[in-house]
Amino acid sequence: MTTAILQVEKLCKSFGGVHAVRDLTFHVAPGEILGLIGPNGSGKSTTVNALAGVFPPTSGEILLAGGHIQTLPEYERVAMGLSRTFQTASIFPEFTVREQLRLGCNVTLKSHPLSSVFGIGRHPGEDEAVESRINDILELTGLAEVAEDKVGTITAAQQRFLMIATTLASEPKIVLLDEPAAGLVSHERKTLSNLIRAIRDTGVSVLVIEHHMALIMEVCDRIVVLNFGSKIAEGTPEEIRNDKAVIDAYLGEAV
Amino acid sequence: MRWNGKTLLWALALVGFILLPQLITVKYYLHLSILALCWVIAAQGQNLIQGYTGYVSIVQAGFMGIGAYSTALMGLHYDLPVWLTILLAPCVTAVFAVLTGYPSLRVKGHYFAVVTLAFNLVIFIVLMNWHDLTQGEAGITGIPKPGGKDSWLNWRDRGTYYYFVLSIAILMTGLAALIVRSRIGQTLIAIRQNEDLVGAIGIAAWKYKLFAFVTSAMYAGLAGAIYAHYQSFINPEIFGVAQSLDAILAVIIGGSGTIAGPVIGAFFVVFLPEYLRFADSFRLILYGLVLVLATIFMPRGIVGVAGDLWAKVKGKPS
Ligand SMILES: Nc1ncnc2c1ncn2[C@@H]1O[C@H](COP(=O)(O)OP(=O)(O)OP(=O)(O)O)[C@@H](O)[C@H]1O
Ligand SMILES: [Mg+2]
């Protein structure tokens, strides 16, 4: 077996008495799109936050491309190739779309931040490389027309796509998308699932949390299901669709 | 640099500042202008942490005090040349800023404001009570002017000192502009907008916050040192919390998060109380009222209002 991009071992996170995540074990393989689903409050966002390093896990291990990261601060995990979006809109409203993406590229730069104050000691070609990568990301995420617009003035749907675009700026190995389809209408969800596949096709693994079952079933290679913080099922979309425990806890009879 | 309206305004302001001593007839106003220029330096620093980073620090005057006492005491006890102690003063201030900033900036939110406020109170109490070092309320006198005895410039002349402070204020304003336009400045502005996202895109926000705070403290230390050598006398009185609030107000009134704002705001907080002297004992109340009204009706400061007016004149929506 090739090393998983992301390996999660017996992850636990409690807030006071609330066990938000219990003994969660799963992995994301290279080039895989993994879905993480479950009812409201089942611990999906808590899992993402623990993986990203917003808070330390209560216990358990997290390995990124084979290396332990559970004790590293958030920003070092990003530098190592793990980046994430937030469930609620999280943007820099005063920046232009391009400026927000440029800031997202900072983590990949070799020249010291101070070098940009006096314009000395910069790595040649670095700025050009960044601009060209920003253009690629704008193209991929369909934001090229609004590149020079203020982030606060673009549509809510464009902001959701910008959040994904921003995760790509740091040249990640894996992106964690927390409900990327929230607030999107049907044709935008279609664009989103194409984008998620396109991201995977550039060699980036994807962990996606969603309540839109059609999108999840269509785009994911495998799905992990949470209920009350514990994994209750794992498998292909087909297997999950027919899983008795999942239907009882989450999907209901309709799906 | 593009030669647009903004550059023209800066050039005009520069000419104005250079000609100011010739235009001023009342000597006292030249004195106030020198004080205001010291405050420009302190306010530019305050703006970096408060205006750009979005963290209100309530210790700018305290840091000016550290700078002022550092330069005075180092000169007094170690017989160092004035130019050297002026340069060392911001470094001493930086040490104190690291010690206060490191624990309080690792976390988000209002904790920082409270810690800085408490630190300003501590500075004031120490300056008042550590008699052996600071001579308490009586203060330190006979702080030498720069240049020594055989200087070719007459440093006792206010005009000379005015140009000295002006040069440093221009330098420090230019440096602030460079910082703000750099990647560091962009990160500070990003922290002000959304600190969680700054972390999520892989930036250690606390390092940048600490950089902004220590730099702002160094600005204050420098301002305090220059002030000390200008007045030749310092005591704790002007390094208290009330003066730190003046620094905050200078930033708000002038235009928070703009380079011109602290320049305008500093002159405002130095000159306004003087113009309110007619009101005698109501002066401070009137001062407070003006500031409150200004904050309510011009939340983006004088620079913001001017920008809106300019946009209207040019017929563009702002
Ligand atoms: N910072 C926190 N402090 C205390 N409790 C929390 C915190 N974050 C989450 N919780 C609790 O942990 C549990 C899991 O929450 P989480 O946000 O991970 O759920 P979720 O699966 O993302 O739900 P949703 O689908 O509604 O987004 C909930 O009971 C929630 O109240
Ligand atoms: Mg959630």
Side-chain angles (χ1 to χ4, degrees):
Chain A
M1 187 187 125
T2 50
T3 322
I5 286 296
L6 185 68
Q7 178 76 48
V8 181
E9 290 284 346
K10 293 203 160 67
L11 185 75
C12 294
K13 179 68 197 177
S14 24
F15 301 103
V18 181
H19 298 285
V21 177
R22 311 179 211 219
D23 268 336
L24 179 61
T25 297
F26 70 91
H27 75 278
V28 184
E32 188 178 34
I33 302 173
L34 182 80
L36 185 61
I37 64 173
N40 291 114
S42 58
K44 306 180 295 294
S45 297
T46 304
T47 303
V48 166
N49 286 331
L51 297 179
V54 172
F55 38 62
T58 307
S59 64
E61 292 172 28
I62 305 165
L63 292 91
L64 183 66
H68 284 271
I69 60 165
Q70 68 268 12
T71 56
L72 298 179
E74 188 179 20
Y75 53 89
E76 282 181 30
R77 299 185 196 195
V78 179
M80 290 175 66
L82 182 147
S83 65
R84 60 86 57 93
T85 65
F86 292 90
Q87 180 168 347
T88 50
S90 187
I91 50 169
F92 298 122
E94 298 163 39
F95 281 165
T96 66
V97 167
R98 185 181 294 280
E99 284 167 342
Q100 172 161 335
L101 291 175
R102 192 177 291 135
L103 203 73
C105 290
N106 266 9
V107 66
T108 66
L109 300 179
K110 293 201 173 53
S111 57
H112 193 273
L114 276 175
S115 71
S116 65
V117 176
F118 301 107
I120 46 172
R122 305 172 108 158
H123 285 241
E126 204 172 57
D127 292 348
E128 293 76 7
V130 162
E131 294 311 313
S132 115
R133 193 160 81 253
I134 291 172
N135 287 334
D136 291 348
I137 294 173
L138 287 168
E139 207 60 53
L140 182 72
T141 52
L143 293 169
E145 300 118 75
V146 293
E148 317 306 331
D149 292 6
K150 286 265 193 302
V151 172
T153 67
I154 63 180
T155 67
Q158 287 168 331
Q159 289 176 354
R160 304 256 11 148
F161 280 98
L162 175 60
M163 284 162 66
I164 300 175
T166 307
T167 64
L168 300 177
S170 60
E171 295 185 325
K173 296 189 178 82
I174 179 169
V175 292
L176 318 180
L177 309 178
D178 196 348
E179 300 200 16
L184 299 191
V185 297
S186 131
H187 75 273
E188 292 161 344
R189 287 204 296 274
K190 187 78 211 129
T191 315
L192 174 66
S193 48
N194 288 337
L195 173 61
I196 291 175
R197 272 191 290 261
I199 290 171
R200 188 262 306 275
D201 292 344
T202 65
V204 178
S205 303
V206 181
L207 173 75
V208 54
I209 292 175
E210 252 316 321
H211 283 296
H212 285 281
M213 274 313 111
L215 189 147
I216 280 284
M217 294 294 170
E218 180 204 339
V219 84
C220 293
D221 300 313
R222 264 185 329 121
I223 297 172
V224 168
V225 188
L226 291 186
N227 194 25
F228 294 111
S230 304
K231 182 167 84 177
I232 57 166
E234 178 173 3
T236 62
E238 200 48 42
E239 288 161 1
I240 295 302
R241 211 193 306 262
N242 301 315
D243 189 294
K244 177 87 174 57
V246 178
I247 292 170
D248 288 349
Y250 183 47
L251 295 181
E253 299 300 327
V255 183
Chain B
M1 196 190 288
R2 275 175 305 143
W3 191 252
N4 54 19
K6 248 187 196 166
T7 6
L8 191 69
L9 274 181
W10 278 108
L12 281 176
L14 189 63
V15 172
F17 277 120
I18 292 172
L19 293 179
L20 194 70
Q22 271 67 51
L23 303 175
I24 285 175
T25 45
V26 187
K27 273 265 177 280
Y28 183 62
Y29 286 161
L30 186 58
H31 165 71
L32 288 182
S33 300
I34 293 172
L35 294 186
L37 285 172
C38 289
W39 274 94
V40 168
I41 300 167
Q44 286 293 7
Q46 178 72 23
N47 193 29
L48 282 177
I49 185 75
Q50 175 189 334
Y52 285 101
T53 318
Y55 274 77
V56 178
S57 155
I58 318 181
V59 64
Q60 199 68 344
F63 283 148
M64 286 172 81
I66 292 179
Y69 277 85
S70 298
T71 192
L73 293 173
M74 281 189 285
L76 215 64
H77 293 299
Y78 303 108
D79 209 27
L80 298 175
V82 171
W83 65 265
L84 182 60
T85 59
I86 287 181
L87 287 179
L88 286 174
C91 303
V92 176
T93 317
V95 173
F96 284 94
V98 171
L99 293 178
T100 30
Y102 185 79
S104 60
L105 286 170
R106 305 282 313 225
V107 290
K108 274 180 290 185
H110 301 301
Y111 186 58
F112 173 73
V114 176
V115 169
T116 52
L117 170 66
F119 189 52
N120 203 147
L121 292 171
V122 169
I123 293 170
F124 188 76
I125 291 167
V126 170
L127 292 181
M128 276 299 222
N129 295 300
W130 194 353
H131 275 266
D132 296 342
L133 187 69
T134 66
Q135 292 163 43
E137 205 174 352
I140 298 173
T141 50
I143 302 166
K145 291 274 186 288
K149 287 183 187 64
D150 38 51
S151 170
W152 48 276
L153 281 171
N154 178 13
W155 286 90
R156 304 214 166 271
D157 177 46
R158 273 187 182 160
T160 307
Y161 213 91
Y162 173 87
Y163 287 112
F164 170 63
V165 186
L166 178 63
S167 321
I168 295 177
I170 291 171
L171 217 66
M172 298 315 283
T173 298
L175 179 64
L178 283 179
I179 293 174
V180 167
R181 277 163 183 67
S182 76
R183 240 162 77 199
I184 297 179
Q186 289 299 296
T187 306
L188 299 181
I189 296 169
I191 290 171
R192 180 182 73 196
Q193 297 174 64
N194 187 343
E195 190 170 340
D196 288 336
L197 184 54
V198 170
I201 62 176
I203 296 173
W206 71 269
K207 291 183 187 167
Y208 287 83
K209 292 192 285 183
L210 191 60
F211 172 87
F213 181 54
V214 172
T215 308
S216 86
M218 292 179 80
Y219 270 72
L222 182 63
I226 290 167
Y227 172 87
H229 291 285
Y230 169 62
Q231 295 284 51
S232 298
F233 163 75
I234 46 171
N235 75 350
E237 207 169 287
I238 71 140
F239 303 125
V241 171
Q243 284 72 25
S244 287
L245 295 180
D246 277 347
I248 293 171
L249 287 166
V251 169
I252 295 175
I253 299 249
S256 175
T258 67
I259 289 295
V263 180
I264 297 166
F267 274 82
F268 207 86
V269 295
V270 169
F271 276 84
L272 183 64
E274 299 297 330
Y275 280 105
L276 296 177
R277 266 177 198 281
F278 70 88
D280 201 33
S281 54
F282 291 108
R283 184 163 72 120
L284 286 179
I285 297 173
L286 213 57
Y287 179 55
L289 194 69
V290 170
L291 295 178
V292 168
L293 290 177
T295 322
I296 293 172
F297 292 108
M298 319 188 300
R300 286 165 56 233
I302 293 170
V303 170
V305 171
D308 291 348
L309 287 179
W310 177 245
K312 244 187 214 142
V313 168
K314 287 178 70 177
K316 278 193 305 193
S318 67

